[in-house]
Amino acid sequence: MRRPVGRLGTDLDAWVRRTVAVAGVAAYASYVHQWEFALQGGADAPSAALWPLSVDELLLLATVGVLKPSGGRDRRSRNVVWLAFLLGIAVSLAANIAAAPRLTWQPVRGWLAAACVALVG
C-alpha cells in the first residue's frame, strides 16, 4: 500500500523530473557541440567521442566539490575545486562557441555554461 505523498514530496518529485529533463537536453547539446569541436581540432572519432565526457565529468566532479560543505578542507583545496569548475566552464563555453558554423555571437550555444555559472555562483 502506498503512503500518500505530502505537498513537499510532490513538489520535490516535480522539481527533480524537470531538472533531469533540462539537464538531459543540456547534456546532449553540450556533448554534440564539444564532439564537433574535437573533430574540428583534428581528433579522431574515438577521441572526439571521449572529449565531451572528460570535460563534463570535470564539471560534474567540481560542481559536487563546490556544493559540498567545506568542513575539514583547507583554503587551497577549495581553490583547486573552484579552479577546476571555472576551467570546465571555460572549456565547455569555448567548445560550444567554436563549434558554431560561423564566427558570430550565438547565445544558444553558450547558454549551458552561462546557466551553470548562474546556478552555482
Side-chain angles (χ1 to χ4, degrees), residues 70-86:
S70 63
R73 287 190 303 177
D74 62 356
R75 182 181 176 108
R76 183 171 185 250
S77 297
R78 286 191 308 271
N79 288 342
V80 167
V81 169
W82 270 103
L83 179 63
F85 177 76
L86 294 174

Side-chain angles (χ1 to χ4, degrees), residues 1 14 29 38 90 103 109 115 119:
M1 184 172 190
L103 199 57
R109 294 214 178 232
L119 288 174

Side-chain angles (χ1 to χ4, degrees), residues 1 6 15 18 27 32-33 49-50 56 60-61 67 71-72 75 84 89 100-101 116 121:
M1 184 172 190
W15 181 84
R18 284 192 306 265
V32 169
H33 295 152
L50 293 175
D56 289 340
L60 178 65
L61 292 173
L67 295 177
R75 182 181 176 108
I89 291 293
C116 288

Side-chain angles (χ1 to χ4, degrees), residues 9-95:
T10 303
D11 291 346
L12 181 61
D13 290 344
W15 181 84
V16 167
R17 280 195 303 275
R18 284 192 306 265
T19 301
V20 166
V22 169
V25 170
Y28 174 77
S30 177
Y31 182 89
V32 169
H33 295 152
Q34 291 185 54
W35 175 71
E36 290 173 1
F37 174 72
L39 287 175
Q40 290 172 1
D44 60 358
S47 298
L50 293 175
W51 166 272
L53 298 177
S54 68
V55 173
D56 289 340
E57 286 300 317
L58 173 67
L59 272 171
L60 178 65
L61 292 173
T63 300
V64 169
V66 166
L67 295 177
K68 185 177 178 180
S70 63
R73 287 190 303 177
D74 62 356
R75 182 181 176 108
R76 183 171 185 250
S77 297
R78 286 191 308 271
N79 288 342
V80 167
V81 169
W82 270 103
L83 179 63
F85 177 76
L86 294 174
L87 178 64
I89 291 293
V91 169
S92 180
L93 182 59

